[in-house]
Amino acid sequence: MPDFANWTLDEQKRFWFGLARDVIELWGLGASHLSWLGYSSNAVFKVSAPRGIYVLRVHLPGRVRAEYLASELTWLQNLGLNTDLLAPAPVPLQEDAADLLFASLRPARLAPDAVLCSLFKYIDGESKSARELSADDVGAVGAYLGQLHREGQFEPPDGFMRPRMDGEGLFGEESPYSVRDSVIATTAEQADTFGQVEKRLRTVMAAIDRGPDSFGLIHGDLLAKNILHCDGQPAALDFEYCGWGYFLYDLAPLLWQLKGERPDDYRHLEEAMWSGYRSKTGLDERMRAHLEVLIAVRQLASCRWLQANAGHPALREIAPKLLEDRTSELRDFLKTGVLKRESLTL
């Protein structure tokens, strides 16, 4: 990409906003109003059109492979058809072509990189920060994940391709958290810490049966910002990191966030989430002992995400220090077996 990485945040947002205006014409929505919903590893817009309200997601170049995106959208289609779970519903580019689910563009200013774009029906619900979540909210999220893991699995079609969230899938070359050309180099001390956490993960994986009751398609990134609350029923958003993984890992992102933002009542919230999850799965209580390692693994994934996105204009100044802080917390985890978080949650 020409010097895109050196543009300011305002310059990048102006570029994506202009591109989004061109993209929505491909869906034939007519005159539409665009507003920002978020911008991190992708640019997300609310689209208010004469036919309804939608969400447009524009992937930054090189962040997702076309076959991976097609498979994510295929799973979401299946969830809409075969479960009553609230999740983003992909909107095909053409009404009579249900398998044509995303657009690919090659803007001249980003040549030769392609930009992949997908459109979803808007879900009307309340967004809550981690600090606003009640125990009932967290319990409902646990139940949602339990239902996703039990009812949301399907026989994938030929060509279905999503990353694996096992040890190699989380931290290997094909991982969605892979680090290429980061502006932050990994120090020898950080590499040693990361390697020891990975070793703990492999110990947990060896203890969990890799059968249909413990391994399958998971959301992979269910933080508070990726949840809407719709009359007491959660809706999971942003399946960008979905893949094949251990079901227990799906509890880790939100618990990881709550550890940092709700330390005073964390144990109560963890209990609520675990109870909600078990209400749908009947999971053996002894499996709960693995959660702490999986939460630490989520912290490691966040470190790799930081390195991969350190060039983002909103992260350039804070990423090096935040990476140091999170690595230090992982070192303490390796000594105590408990992850204590004080580092900033983005």
Side-chain angles (χ1 to χ4, degrees), residues 5-317:
N6 296 321
W7 295 0
T8 66
L9 180 60
D10 285 343
E11 288 172 335
Q12 290 190 9
K13 291 182 75 171
R14 280 197 298 271
F15 174 79
W16 293 124
F17 198 91
L19 183 67
R21 287 202 170 280
D22 294 336
V23 168
I24 58 175
E25 293 185 7
L26 300 176
W27 269 270
L29 298 180
S32 303
H33 175 74
L34 288 176
S35 56
W36 278 97
L37 288 178
Y39 178 39
S40 56
S41 56
N42 50 46
V44 186
F45 300 88
K46 181 178 180 181
V47 183
S48 300
R51 296 198 332 232
I53 303 176
Y54 305 88
V55 172
L56 175 68
R57 189 177 67 186
V58 180
H59 289 273
L60 275 61
R63 294 302 176 90
V64 63
R65 294 161 55 179
E67 56 268 37
Y68 275 28
L69 177 56
S71 299
E72 173 200 342
L73 301 176
T74 297
W75 187 33
L76 285 169
Q77 276 189 322
N78 182 268
L79 292 177
L81 290 171
N82 297 306
T83 76
D84 61 0
L85 291 165
L86 294 177
V91 178
L93 276 161
Q94 300 171 11
E95 291 185 6
D96 58 349
D99 59 341
L100 193 60
L101 294 175
F102 65 93
S104 177
L105 297 87
R106 294 186 182 274
R109 297 187 72 180
L110 300 182
D113 295 296
V115 175
L116 305 182
C117 311
S118 46
L119 189 74
F120 305 90
K121 294 180 180 177
Y122 181 79
I123 300 174
D124 189 14
E126 180 185 6
S127 179
K128 296 184 180 182
S129 70
R131 298 183 186 277
E132 295 173 313
L133 293 174
S134 68
D136 287 344
D137 293 330
V138 176
V141 171
Y144 181 100
L145 287 173
Q147 187 177 353
L148 179 71
H149 298 159
R150 289 296 176 264
E151 301 175 16
Q153 307 304 304
F154 78 126
E155 187 66 33
D158 292 342
F160 188 89
M161 186 181 297
R162 288 302 303 170
R164 303 190 75 80
M165 297 292 180
D166 52 15
E168 182 60 28
L170 279 168
F171 306 117
E173 287 299 316
E174 296 301 316
S175 166
Y177 298 104
S178 62
V179 180
R180 299 181 180 91
D181 303 321
S182 175
V183 298
I184 308 178
T186 304
T187 67
E189 184 178 35
Q190 287 170 338
D192 178 66
T193 300
F194 296 167
Q196 290 186 56
V197 175
E198 288 183 40
K199 188 179 296 185
R200 296 277 183 99
L201 171 63
R202 295 183 190 280
T203 300
V204 167
M205 289 191 303
I208 301 176
D209 173 42
R210 195 163 173 157
D213 290 335
S214 60
F215 191 92
L217 285 167
I218 64 174
H219 182 282
D221 193 35
L222 203 59
L223 299 167
K225 67 179 181 180
N226 291 332
I227 303 166
L228 286 178
H229 304 268
C230 311
D231 295 326
Q233 184 178 2
L237 308 177
D238 197 354
F239 280 67
E240 179 185 5
Y241 287 95
C242 71
W244 300 101
Y246 290 92
F247 292 146
L248 273 181
Y249 180 73
D250 237 359
L251 280 66
L254 184 57
L255 292 177
W256 170 83
Q257 185 176 15
L258 293 171
K259 268 183 173 284
E261 300 188 44
R262 299 284 291 275
D264 293 341
D265 58 349
Y266 171 77
R267 286 299 171 194
H268 179 56
L269 295 172
E270 182 192 288
E271 178 64 38
M273 190 174 193
W274 181 253
S275 296
Y277 186 71
R278 289 192 74 212
S279 72
K280 297 293 185 179
T281 63
L283 192 66
D284 191 324
E285 176 66 27
R286 290 173 294 182
M287 299 296 284
R288 187 173 178 176
H290 300 307
L291 279 179
E292 198 69 23
V293 172
L294 296 176
I295 294 168
V297 169
R298 171 63 191 195
Q299 173 107 329
L300 174 52
S302 79
C303 290
R304 290 171 63 89
W305 184 92
L306 267 175
Q307 289 179 288
N309 291 276
H312 189 291
L315 297 175
R316 291 171 190 160
E317 298 297 324

Side-chain angles (χ1 to χ4, degrees), residues 322-336:
L322 186 52
L323 181 63
E324 289 180 9
D325 292 343
R326 289 186 178 175
T327 305
S328 176
E329 290 169 349
L330 285 175
R331 283 196 293 269
D332 290 340
F333 160 76
L334 291 169
K335 296 174 184 176
T336 66

